[in-house]
Amino acid sequence: MSVPLTASLYVPGTLDDADKVLADIGTGYFVEKTMDEGRNYCERKINLVKSNFDLLNEVHLSSSSSTFNGMKHIKL
């Protein structure tokens, strides 16, 4: 597993206690969770990102066929 030292530097690491993990909840905050809670948190975050991507993709596709300043956008 990779352990973040900075935003762009990761080093190899191992878990001594596999029953608890730290979840990065953003802006430098971490929460201790059980392994199952951590897995659930990660799955929910993945689903949220996928859902937001799908919504953004729909908006992009629907706006790509609209006009701007009287010119039709052409998808290449």
Side-chain angles (χ1 to χ4, degrees), residues 5-25:
L5 292 182
T6 68
S8 61
L9 177 63
Y10 291 78
V11 296
T14 60
L15 287 175
D16 286 336
D17 180 8
D19 295 331
K20 303 239 172 142
V21 294
L22 289 177
D24 182 353
I25 60 172

Side-chain angles (χ1 to χ4, degrees), residues 2-75:
S2 296
V3 178
L5 292 182
T6 68
S8 61
L9 177 63
Y10 291 78
V11 296
T14 60
L15 287 175
D16 286 336
D17 180 8
D19 295 331
K20 303 239 172 142
V21 294
L22 289 177
D24 182 353
I25 60 172
T27 62
Y29 289 95
F30 294 85
V31 176
E32 186 177 278
K33 294 183 172 287
T34 65
M35 185 63 79
D36 287 337
E37 291 171 336
R39 184 176 294 114
N40 181 275
Y41 174 77
C42 288
E43 288 171 358
R44 286 185 291 123
K45 291 296 281 186
I46 289 168
N47 289 335
L48 177 65
V49 170
K50 285 180 180 178
S51 174
N52 287 343
F53 173 79
D54 291 342
L55 288 173
L56 184 60
N57 199 31
E58 285 178 28
V59 168
H60 170 71
L61 291 176
S62 67
S63 68
S64 67
S65 63
S66 64
T67 58
F68 180 73
N69 289 338
M71 298 178 70
K72 184 93 172 159
H73 288 269
I74 300 172
K75 206 173 180 185

